[in-house]
Amino acid sequence: MRNVVVVGAQWGDEGKGKIVDWLSAHFDIVVRYQGGHNAGHTVQVGGRRFVLHLIPSGILREEKVCVIGNGVVVDPEALREEMAMLRREGISVAPGRLLVSHRAHVILPYHRALEAVLEQQLGEQRVGTTMRGIGPAYEFKYGRRGLRVGDLCEPQRAREKIMAIAEHVNRMLRVLGAEPIDPRPICDRYRELGEQIAPFVADTAYYLNRAIAEGRAVLFEGAQGTMLDVDHGTYPFVTSSHASAGGAAVGTGVAPTRITAILGVIKAYATRVGEGPFPTELHDDVGQLLQRGGGEYGATTGRPRRCGWFDAFAVAYAVMLNGCTALALTKLDVLDPLPEIKICVGYRRRRRILAEYPASCEELRECEPIYETIPGWQTSTSGLTRYEELPPPARRYIERVSQLVGCEIPFISTGAEREEMIIVPGRALERVLA
């Protein structure tokens, strides 16, 4: 039995899309377990670039089944557009090949309307969301006012629920000084969308558990990253779901005991989108070099990502939370030009070196990174596929990162293309692929 969770171990944007695409060759089913179309997973195959937001990256391999789990919030418009994009590119997206959980919650226009008003009113305290309605959809889910995909497939039931929820939303909008919305066009449009996605809807928890019982291998794809987890991340500058590995169980209906390994994905440096504390952020030429070299612009919004040195203190925390059995390191080649490279090995706050990652953003803002400097290699690693081909300083960098975060790194990405990967044999690799 091989059932592996792929999870971001930083602030998201670690390159999970490429890692999932590569790994999916070794699995039968790929399932997304949380988040919404605020996430963007970029995969490059044969010079063709795909940006996926809801559908798992495994869709690019024809023989794989892809599942959108119950922990995801689904915008039916975005899903329809993504399916159409893939079909235009010659990728099969058919019922039975793509399954959508009937328990997944639906994002509706009033979620976006609420988010826009609330984010505007926060002013300087804004979170920096993608304005896709993700947060309000999760709020309504946990407030027991949500509409689920299964409801959307029952037109009369969906209409009744949308009308009732809209009444509640309009009360909120009036209090906030915003214009109320007319729910009737929403009912009509979402009836049509419900008809379009109905052939893909299934009880995916039963499907996945039956598949596992039959010995099929399942790859669980996370969105965002551990440092954006709603409980364990840099709250309140976080996403609205459980982006850590624990979310895989509740977001799919597969018990934790069925999961055999956790693969954390890390970037060779650090990035963050949106607001919130970011201790190793660089505002100098090096930060700009990382941004340009790594193409650090959001796949979903196009927003430039904030860039900084690798934060081993934060990643060690993420490795602990997720119980990572192995790590995949991406974008090593972006560091190629640098004569020296810094790694954050800890934080100092008010002259005291911290033993544990801070729980509050107020504390985190007061932290200064403690750096260790190592020599760069200043030669190209782009496209290398054998560990022995890496320059010795690059190997020492990887080994030092592994030592500091307490986890082996058997996967090293050296470029955007699917096959630009170094695979390092050993126990950690066996735990993921055996």
Side-chain angles (χ1 to χ4, degrees):
M1 181 176 70
R2 184 171 69 251
N3 304 308
V4 176
V5 176
V6 176
V7 61
Q10 292 164 306
W11 282 272
D13 308 308
E14 300 94 348
K16 295 181 294 297
K18 174 183 174 173
I19 300 301
V20 170
D21 168 69
W22 190 93
L23 284 172
S24 61
H26 301 268
F27 292 80
D28 302 301
I29 300 165
V30 185
V31 53
R32 168 82 175 273
Y33 63 82
Q34 48 77 222
H37 65 305
N38 55 337
H41 290 173
T42 303
V43 181
Q44 189 164 310
V45 183
R48 299 165 71 196
R49 184 173 180 268
F50 301 88
V51 180
L52 301 164
H53 301 284
L54 283 167
I55 299 174
S57 304
I59 198 72
L60 301 181
R61 295 186 183 268
E62 291 184 6
E63 68 277 17
K64 308 304 175 183
V65 175
C66 289
V67 175
I68 296 175
N70 57 273
V72 178
V73 287
V74 178
D75 183 325
E77 291 269 18
L79 178 60
R80 182 184 61 81
E81 291 170 8
E82 194 165 315
M83 292 164 65
M85 176 275 292
L86 288 167
R87 287 170 177 148
R88 286 194 300 272
E89 295 292 334
I91 308 298
S92 170
V93 185
R97 178 149 196 257
L98 174 66
L99 303 177
V100 182
S101 172
H102 64 345
R103 288 185 169 90
H105 278 247
V106 177
I107 298 172
L108 290 122
Y110 46 67
H111 293 133
R112 291 190 291 273
L114 270 176
E115 186 168 40
V117 175
L118 291 168
E119 187 78 347
Q120 183 180 29
Q121 292 199 350
L122 284 171
E124 293 183 359
Q125 299 301 314
R126 64 187 182 279
V127 176
T129 77
T130 58
M131 308 300 284
R132 302 292 177 95
I134 309 307
Y138 276 113
E139 287 182 47
F140 278 46
K141 170 180 177 175
Y142 292 110
R144 299 180 295 279
R145 290 191 178 93
L147 182 80
R148 303 200 290 185
V149 167
D151 298 323
L152 202 61
C153 296
E154 297 291 337
Q156 186 56 38
R157 185 201 307 168
R159 186 176 188 86
E160 291 171 0
K161 290 195 173 188
I162 290 171
M163 295 298 288
I165 297 167
E167 187 176 335
H168 167 73
V169 171
N170 282 336
R171 283 197 297 269
M172 294 176 67
L173 288 172
R174 289 188 186 98
V175 169
L176 293 167
E179 288 293 318
I181 59 170
D182 182 355
R184 291 169 296 182
I186 297 174
C187 292
D188 295 338
R189 179 60 181 144
Y190 278 69
R191 176 180 182 134
E192 177 187 342
L193 290 167
E195 291 171 355
Q196 292 174 6
I197 68 171
F200 299 87
V201 177
D203 189 324
T204 57
Y206 271 109
Y207 172 82
L208 291 168
N209 279 283
R210 286 169 181 150
I212 290 170
E214 292 166 3
R216 299 172 76 188
V218 179
L219 187 63
F220 298 80
E221 178 186 55
Q224 290 93 27
T226 302
M227 303 309 293
L228 295 179
D229 184 278
V230 68
D231 275 341
H232 300 291
T234 52
Y235 188 88
F237 300 97
V238 292
T239 193
S240 301
S241 58
H242 293 290
S244 52
V250 294
T252 62
V254 173
T257 52
R258 314 302 286 275
I259 293 168
T260 57
I262 312 291
L263 176 66
V265 184
I266 56 175
K267 195 149 40 181
Y269 48 99
T271 63
R272 178 166 193 159
V273 172
E275 308 298 326
F278 184 19
T280 67
E281 184 173 9
L282 295 168
H283 299 281
D284 57 10
D285 291 345
V286 175
Q288 293 176 16
L289 181 148
L290 296 175
Q291 188 181 79
R292 288 194 305 270
E296 297 299 349
Y297 300 91
T300 297
T301 64
R303 291 184 296 180
R305 297 178 186 136
R306 301 153 64 190
C307 298
W309 294 118
F310 184 85
D311 189 336
F313 192 53
V315 172
Y317 169 67
V319 166
M320 176 194 73
L321 286 175
N322 292 304
C324 292
T325 46
L327 293 174
L329 177 73
T330 68
K331 296 198 175 183
L332 178 69
D333 54 307
V334 177
L335 301 182
D336 288 350
L338 297 173
E340 62 178 30
I341 298 166
K342 293 183 179 181
I343 303 174
C344 173
V345 297
Y347 293 169
R348 182 182 289 107
R349 177 175 178 258
R350 298 179 183 177
R351 300 182 180 180
R352 184 173 64 89
I353 295 175
L354 302 188
E356 299 172 350
Y357 199 85
S360 79
C361 280
E362 289 77 15
E363 291 177 29
L364 194 54
R365 289 187 195 280
E366 297 176 353
C367 290
E368 299 175 14
I370 302 168
Y371 286 119
E372 180 178 294
T373 302
I374 66 171
W377 43 93
Q378 293 188 290
T379 185
S380 177
T381 62
S382 181
L384 298 183
T385 56
R386 294 175 60 246
Y387 192 73
E388 296 76 18
E389 295 175 332
L390 289 172
R395 295 201 296 268
R396 285 195 289 271
Y397 179 76
I398 294 165
E399 289 158 9
R400 183 58 176 150
V401 165
S402 174
Q403 180 184 45
L404 287 168
V405 304
C407 195
E408 293 183 48
I409 305 175
F411 302 95
I412 302 161
S413 172
T414 58
E417 281 287 339
R418 174 185 283 170
E419 301 306 325
E420 292 178 328
M421 286 276 288
I422 293 172
I423 308 302
V424 184
R427 173 72 174 151
L429 180 67
E430 291 173 1
R431 293 188 70 179
V432 175
L433 294 183

